[in-house]
Amino acid sequence: MTANSPSASPSTHAQHLAHHFESPAQQFDAAVQGMWLFLATEILLFAGLFCLYAVFRANNPEIFQHAHHYLSKPLGALNTVVLLCSSFTVAAAVRCAQLGRSRQSATLLGLTLACGLAFLGVKYVEYHHKWKEGLLWGRHFRLTEGEAATLPSAAGPATLPAAAPDATSASLGPPAAGDSAPSVASSDEPSATFRPMVLAPPGLRSPDEPAGVTTPQQQVRNIQTFFAVYFLMTGLHALHVLVGLGLIAWITWRTVAGAFSPLYFTPVAMAALYWHLVDLIWIYLFPLLYLIH
Amino acid sequence: MSVLNPTIVLDQPAPAPAGVNYLTHTRGLRSWLLTIDHKRIGVMYLVSILAAFLLGGIFAILVRTELLGPAKTIVTADTYNQFFTLHGAIMIFLVIIPSIPAALGNFVLPIMLGAKDLAFPRVNLLSYYLYLLGALLAVVSIVSGSMDTGWTFYPPYAIDSAHARFGGVIPVLLGVFVLGFSSILTGLNFIVTIHKLRPPGMGWFRLPLFLWSLYATSVIQVLATPVLGVTVLLLILERALRFGVFHPGLGGDPLLYQHFFWFYSHPAVYIMILPAMGIISELVSVFSRKHIFGYHFIAFSSIAIAVFGFFVWGHHMFVSGQSPLVTVLFSLLTYSVSIPSAVKVFNWLATMHGGSISLRTPMLYALAFIFMFGIGGLTGLFLGALATDVHLHDTYFVVAHFHYTMMGGTLIAMLGGLHYWWPKITGRMYNETWGRVAFVLVFLGFNVTFFPQFIMGSRGMPRRYFNYPPEFTAFHQLSTLGAYLMAIGFVIIAGYLLHSLFRGRPAPGNPWGGATLEWQCSSPPPPDNFATQPVAGDPYDFRALEYDPGSGGYVMRPSAGARPAS
Amino acid sequence: MSASDPDFVRHHGSLGHIVPLRVLALTLAGLLLLTVVTVGVTMVPWLDLGPAGNLWIALLIATIKAALVALYFMHLRYEKPIISIILIVTLCFVILFIGLSMMDSRAYQPSIRAYRAVDPTRYAPDVYNR
């Protein structure tokens, strides 16, 4: 290795070479390493959310097996395809930048942007639907009559105690107007309304229901937890998509301005790595949230 | 790198133009605020961290003063809760975690590598500004009066707490998130620098042990801190939007929060202690004038501590409702983590044995570290054993344990390192006599503060309690007395260090006779650290150095085995 | 010859390996195919392995897709080993974290269930009691 010397070379080598690096190759290698370390931290960030998912699903499988009815598989699959294509376009854009083909690179980056925006558009559609239907987390969870009517339900009252139907909970038949419906709850039960509870198809039971009890329907409680996990995971992911789009937009602008060449395209490569991470996370989110069966 | 290897190749320090060093070569506020020079960033970190230490220390004094008597002494219980929460949060996130890596590591690491800067200088500056932002958010939370959950922010109280000004715990949680980012970026920077910017001749097993420890620390920072990030993010969303993943009232699992929190916070204590141990390795060797004993063992033990530290987080949760299966597993693993630490202590003692020990101020701190970290580490074993932990958990025994390790360990090592590298950073020597006086006060004060707490705790005094039965009064008062003694010691340190900036003797390039590369440049270093890149030799071979009374420092022995660089 | 010359890379070499376009396209094709497979598996009744089995199949397919993205789109195949080490070490710690947390939470579920079985509103009191 040669000693560091002040960059006196007139070639473009010196232009982007920081004073503490000896060669563009060393500088680029360092940048790649730094970026991968950063991606590792992002993986660990999402690991927390995957841990939430794993813990809640392992301990309350019935919630997850039921709640996926509320998600649209086609839209999820569409988003997956869109992101995969955007990964391809951004990888191809890096390749063009390495080869010095700025115009092609800019076009491909623009396509990546378009894909990313399409992804966010589909996400908006999904979120909007859930907001309207009251499919949210915590105390905000409520099922409207429309949703409730589409769920399979058996005729006749539930034989389990404490199913006090209410106008906004999934229930049997149309709710009584105004006053509370006749309660089949046992007398010592408060007139609590178990809103996040739905009457699920027969055969779907939660682990703590006693075996051997023949009821036409089981009750799945705490469905709002699924939506907490859903919104946290897809929300944080969407935030990263937004940041990624910002980075790519900035890189596109700089490409058009002619800032990159085969000797210096590091920002393009770094932005692309970030975008690929966003895609990687969705590759796991899609089956875990949308393809539960 | 063995003692028998005589090929020491050290460049003579290239003489910088008179008076030009990193402090003087540009002037003005902007040249500091927008600097990408790692030395200036290190100095800014040092000033900020010491300011945070002052703030955290004030809260500590307030806590101890309140505990002079049972029940209310100076403040209400509610205010007291805020005092200990703020003391803990400020000390952990703003002082102990960043202190050695950001303040000393930033300055020393590139120079020890013979490099001109860290791999990513602008990211380094960003790290510093994120630190400031996090500190600012912490200050907001002080003012809002909403920080009363303890520094661990356990739900459901953190979510339900009625203290809601400015959003309750949200500002400080945002601050912690931002600080986490700062920590991650620093760690990332250090890892890539050590990978890519080593000089010729410095393979992995010629790295100074301080750099091994910073490397291990940085690995922990990169792996663990993001989990803290997601934890505080989830807690913020839980409080603001009531998501319901941790709050049992909404169907969540509060113990899961503790798993998330401690997965970071246990490795965090190794972020705190590893760089401290690295400093001790340097100090013990230099001030015994003897090659470090067991270099490989110490290097590998740093990595071992970093790795094993990730396997033991559940030992903070033995009585929280964690299942017996996992509890036993964590207890067993906790014992494994003490082994590499013990390896280091044995190697330091073996280094000193037969050496020519000089009791300068940095060495005094190193010796105090070995004693106090020894106590702290051993008392951790009481807490790792399940039967005893049931009684000791959440008592003052725990408080004493972590203060002996974090303060008697990290802070003492930080002070030792500060005194060791002070001449290099500032170009001035401080008054050695006052250094020793202050050391005695700090050492005595520390032990008087915290040793009684072991006894109190084992007799049942709970931590974080505002009120206590009269039988503990004498212990508390003794502890508070020690705290005031320590505070005086710290004030004296601040006094003579500040004095040295104006009136201290100009420092030679190598006042202590260190063989690592930072002692080959002038004190303070020139802006680019080295005029030509030095070639590294054995960082613990002192035979080529001899004391020169004229300059008051060490210089290369003209004939002893030194060969010109090839 | 300046950097903007079309033959520059051929003469001077490039920073980092250049992935052939064919490889990128094949990778995309593989990814899309696997997406079809992973969705299709959920629609074919005779491939239903129960909730646990289906989950592992889905994760397996997702991991293959992730590997394709990482190896070819992200150049992992052509990078120095240190990058792969960073990724693998990270994944190990992710597995450690999720695994131990799951293990513990499953072990303490019986006590939670026993508590909740007493009164159904205990599932989520703030939600159920309004």
PDB file of all heavy atoms in Angstrom, chain A residues 206-221:
ATOM      1  N   SER A 206     -60.426 -21.670  19.852  1.00  0.00           N
ATOM      2  CA  SER A 206     -59.240 -21.157  20.530  1.00  0.00           C
ATOM      3  C   SER A 206     -58.818 -22.182  21.596  1.00  0.00           C
ATOM      4  O   SER A 206     -59.633 -22.969  22.059  1.00  0.00           O
ATOM      5  CB  SER A 206     -59.537 -19.816  21.185  1.00  0.00           C
ATOM      6  OG  SER A 206     -60.533 -19.961  22.154  1.00  0.00           O
ATOM      7  N   PRO A 207     -57.558 -22.215  21.940  1.00  0.00           N
ATOM      8  CA  PRO A 207     -57.030 -23.315  22.770  1.00  0.00           C
ATOM      9  C   PRO A 207     -57.667 -23.438  24.133  1.00  0.00           C
ATOM     10  O   PRO A 207     -57.622 -24.488  24.753  1.00  0.00           O
ATOM     11  CB  PRO A 207     -55.543 -22.971  22.924  1.00  0.00           C
ATOM     12  CG  PRO A 207     -55.249 -22.008  21.857  1.00  0.00           C
ATOM     13  CD  PRO A 207     -56.515 -21.293  21.545  1.00  0.00           C
ATOM     14  N   ASP A 208     -58.234 -22.316  24.629  1.00  0.00           N
ATOM     15  CA  ASP A 208     -58.699 -22.426  26.004  1.00  0.00           C
ATOM     16  C   ASP A 208     -60.169 -22.790  26.117  1.00  0.00           C
ATOM     17  O   ASP A 208     -60.707 -22.850  27.205  1.00  0.00           O
ATOM     18  CB  ASP A 208     -58.417 -21.109  26.751  1.00  0.00           C
ATOM     19  CG  ASP A 208     -58.934 -19.925  25.957  1.00  0.00           C
ATOM     20  OD1 ASP A 208     -59.139 -20.067  24.738  1.00  0.00           O
ATOM     21  OD2 ASP A 208     -59.135 -18.867  26.557  1.00  0.00           O
ATOM     22  N   GLU A 209     -60.833 -22.998  25.001  1.00  0.00           N
ATOM     23  CA  GLU A 209     -62.207 -23.478  25.113  1.00  0.00           C
ATOM     24  C   GLU A 209     -62.161 -24.942  25.519  1.00  0.00           C
ATOM     25  O   GLU A 209     -61.359 -25.700  25.009  1.00  0.00           O
ATOM     26  CB  GLU A 209     -62.931 -23.332  23.768  1.00  0.00           C
ATOM     27  CG  GLU A 209     -63.053 -21.888  23.293  1.00  0.00           C
ATOM     28  CD  GLU A 209     -63.897 -21.029  24.219  1.00  0.00           C
ATOM     29  OE1 GLU A 209     -64.538 -21.567  25.142  1.00  0.00           O
ATOM     30  OE2 GLU A 209     -63.929 -19.819  24.021  1.00  0.00           O
ATOM     31  N   PRO A 210     -62.978 -25.331  26.435  1.00  0.00           N
ATOM     32  CA  PRO A 210     -62.907 -26.731  26.887  1.00  0.00           C
ATOM     33  C   PRO A 210     -63.234 -27.680  25.742  1.00  0.00           C
ATOM     34  O   PRO A 210     -64.109 -27.417  24.935  1.00  0.00           O
ATOM     35  CB  PRO A 210     -63.968 -26.800  27.995  1.00  0.00           C
ATOM     36  CG  PRO A 210     -64.842 -25.620  27.770  1.00  0.00           C
ATOM     37  CD  PRO A 210     -64.034 -24.572  27.119  1.00  0.00           C
ATOM     38  N   ALA A 211     -62.475 -28.755  25.713  1.00  0.00           N
ATOM     39  CA  ALA A 211     -62.713 -29.728  24.645  1.00  0.00           C
ATOM     40  C   ALA A 211     -64.020 -30.442  24.897  1.00  0.00           C
ATOM     41  O   ALA A 211     -64.468 -30.581  26.034  1.00  0.00           O
ATOM     42  CB  ALA A 211     -61.552 -30.719  24.626  1.00  0.00           C
ATOM     43  N   GLY A 212     -64.616 -30.884  23.851  1.00  0.00           N
ATOM     44  CA  GLY A 212     -65.813 -31.697  24.025  1.00  0.00           C
ATOM     45  C   GLY A 212     -67.090 -30.901  24.169  1.00  0.00           C
ATOM     46  O   GLY A 212     -68.174 -31.450  24.158  1.00  0.00           O
ATOM     47  N   VAL A 213     -66.950 -29.597  24.322  1.00  0.00           N
ATOM     48  CA  VAL A 213     -68.173 -28.793  24.405  1.00  0.00           C
ATOM     49  C   VAL A 213     -68.692 -28.592  22.993  1.00  0.00           C
ATOM     50  O   VAL A 213     -67.978 -28.094  22.129  1.00  0.00           O
ATOM     51  CB  VAL A 213     -67.849 -27.420  25.037  1.00  0.00           C
ATOM     52  CG1 VAL A 213     -69.059 -26.508  24.951  1.00  0.00           C
ATOM     53  CG2 VAL A 213     -67.401 -27.615  26.474  1.00  0.00           C
ATOM     54  N   THR A 214     -69.894 -29.019  22.779  1.00  0.00           N
ATOM     55  CA  THR A 214     -70.390 -28.875  21.419  1.00  0.00           C
ATOM     56  C   THR A 214     -71.160 -27.577  21.309  1.00  0.00           C
ATOM     57  O   THR A 214     -72.214 -27.398  21.901  1.00  0.00           O
ATOM     58  CB  THR A 214     -71.336 -30.033  21.063  1.00  0.00           C
ATOM     59  OG1 THR A 214     -72.283 -30.174  22.123  1.00  0.00           O
ATOM     60  CG2 THR A 214     -70.546 -31.334  20.916  1.00  0.00           C
ATOM     61  N   THR A 215     -70.570 -26.684  20.600  1.00  0.00           N
ATOM     62  CA  THR A 215     -71.255 -25.420  20.337  1.00  0.00           C
ATOM     63  C   THR A 215     -71.221 -25.219  18.833  1.00  0.00           C
ATOM     64  O   THR A 215     -70.258 -25.605  18.168  1.00  0.00           O
ATOM     65  CB  THR A 215     -70.544 -24.244  20.999  1.00  0.00           C
ATOM     66  OG1 THR A 215     -69.146 -24.336  20.690  1.00  0.00           O
ATOM     67  CG2 THR A 215     -70.716 -24.285  22.495  1.00  0.00           C
ATOM     68  N   PRO A 216     -72.224 -24.633  18.300  1.00  0.00           N
ATOM     69  CA  PRO A 216     -72.215 -24.423  16.851  1.00  0.00           C
ATOM     70  C   PRO A 216     -71.150 -23.419  16.428  1.00  0.00           C
ATOM     71  O   PRO A 216     -70.689 -23.422  15.321  1.00  0.00           O
ATOM     72  CB  PRO A 216     -73.620 -23.882  16.551  1.00  0.00           C
ATOM     73  CG  PRO A 216     -74.112 -23.339  17.839  1.00  0.00           C
ATOM     74  CD  PRO A 216     -73.477 -24.121  18.920  1.00  0.00           C
ATOM     75  N   GLN A 217     -70.795 -22.589  17.336  1.00  0.00           N
ATOM     76  CA  GLN A 217     -69.806 -21.589  16.959  1.00  0.00           C
ATOM     77  C   GLN A 217     -68.827 -21.369  18.102  1.00  0.00           C
ATOM     78  O   GLN A 217     -69.155 -21.530  19.253  1.00  0.00           O
ATOM     79  CB  GLN A 217     -70.483 -20.251  16.660  1.00  0.00           C
ATOM     80  CG  GLN A 217     -71.295 -20.284  15.398  1.00  0.00           C
ATOM     81  CD  GLN A 217     -72.258 -19.146  15.376  1.00  0.00           C
ATOM     82  OE1 GLN A 217     -73.122 -19.034  16.245  1.00  0.00           O
ATOM     83  NE2 GLN A 217     -72.118 -18.296  14.402  1.00  0.00           N
ATOM     84  N   GLN A 218     -67.659 -20.997  17.748  1.00  0.00           N
ATOM     85  CA  GLN A 218     -66.671 -20.642  18.758  1.00  0.00           C
ATOM     86  C   GLN A 218     -66.472 -19.147  18.704  1.00  0.00           C
ATOM     87  O   GLN A 218     -66.789 -18.491  17.724  1.00  0.00           O
ATOM     88  CB  GLN A 218     -65.350 -21.351  18.477  1.00  0.00           C
ATOM     89  CG  GLN A 218     -65.466 -22.852  18.433  1.00  0.00           C
ATOM     90  CD  GLN A 218     -65.826 -23.402  19.789  1.00  0.00           C
ATOM     91  OE1 GLN A 218     -65.578 -22.787  20.807  1.00  0.00           O
ATOM     92  NE2 GLN A 218     -66.427 -24.587  19.794  1.00  0.00           N
ATOM     93  N   GLN A 219     -65.925 -18.658  19.753  1.00  0.00           N
ATOM     94  CA  GLN A 219     -65.711 -17.223  19.808  1.00  0.00           C
ATOM     95  C   GLN A 219     -64.225 -16.912  19.730  1.00  0.00           C
ATOM     96  O   GLN A 219     -63.427 -17.447  20.481  1.00  0.00           O
ATOM     97  CB  GLN A 219     -66.286 -16.666  21.105  1.00  0.00           C
ATOM     98  CG  GLN A 219     -67.797 -16.797  21.115  1.00  0.00           C
ATOM     99  CD  GLN A 219     -68.365 -16.625  22.491  1.00  0.00           C
ATOM    100  OE1 GLN A 219     -67.718 -16.942  23.464  1.00  0.00           O
ATOM    101  NE2 GLN A 219     -69.577 -16.125  22.559  1.00  0.00           N
ATOM    102  N   VAL A 220     -63.901 -16.070  18.808  1.00  0.00           N
ATOM    103  CA  VAL A 220     -62.513 -15.665  18.636  1.00  0.00           C
ATOM    104  C   VAL A 220     -62.370 -14.291  19.258  1.00  0.00           C
ATOM    105  O   VAL A 220     -62.957 -13.325  18.783  1.00  0.00           O
ATOM    106  CB  VAL A 220     -62.129 -15.614  17.146  1.00  0.00           C
ATOM    107  CG1 VAL A 220     -60.681 -15.167  16.988  1.00  0.00           C
ATOM    108  CG2 VAL A 220     -62.346 -16.976  16.511  1.00  0.00           C
ATOM    109  N   ARG A 221     -61.617 -14.214  20.289  1.00  0.00           N
ATOM    110  CA  ARG A 221     -61.512 -12.952  20.998  1.00  0.00           C
ATOM    111  C   ARG A 221     -60.214 -12.248  20.660  1.00  0.00           C
ATOM    112  O   ARG A 221     -59.239 -12.836  20.244  1.00  0.00           O
ATOM    113  CB  ARG A 221     -61.581 -13.198  22.512  1.00  0.00           C
ATOM    114  CG  ARG A 221     -62.888 -13.857  22.913  1.00  0.00           C
ATOM    115  CD  ARG A 221     -63.039 -13.881  24.414  1.00  0.00           C
ATOM    116  NE  ARG A 221     -64.323 -14.460  24.782  1.00  0.00           N
ATOM    117  CZ  ARG A 221     -64.521 -15.742  25.012  1.00  0.00           C
ATOM    118  NH1 ARG A 221     -63.532 -16.580  24.918  1.00  0.00           N
ATOM    119  NH2 ARG A 221     -65.722 -16.180  25.329  1.00  0.00           N
TER     120      ARG A 221
END
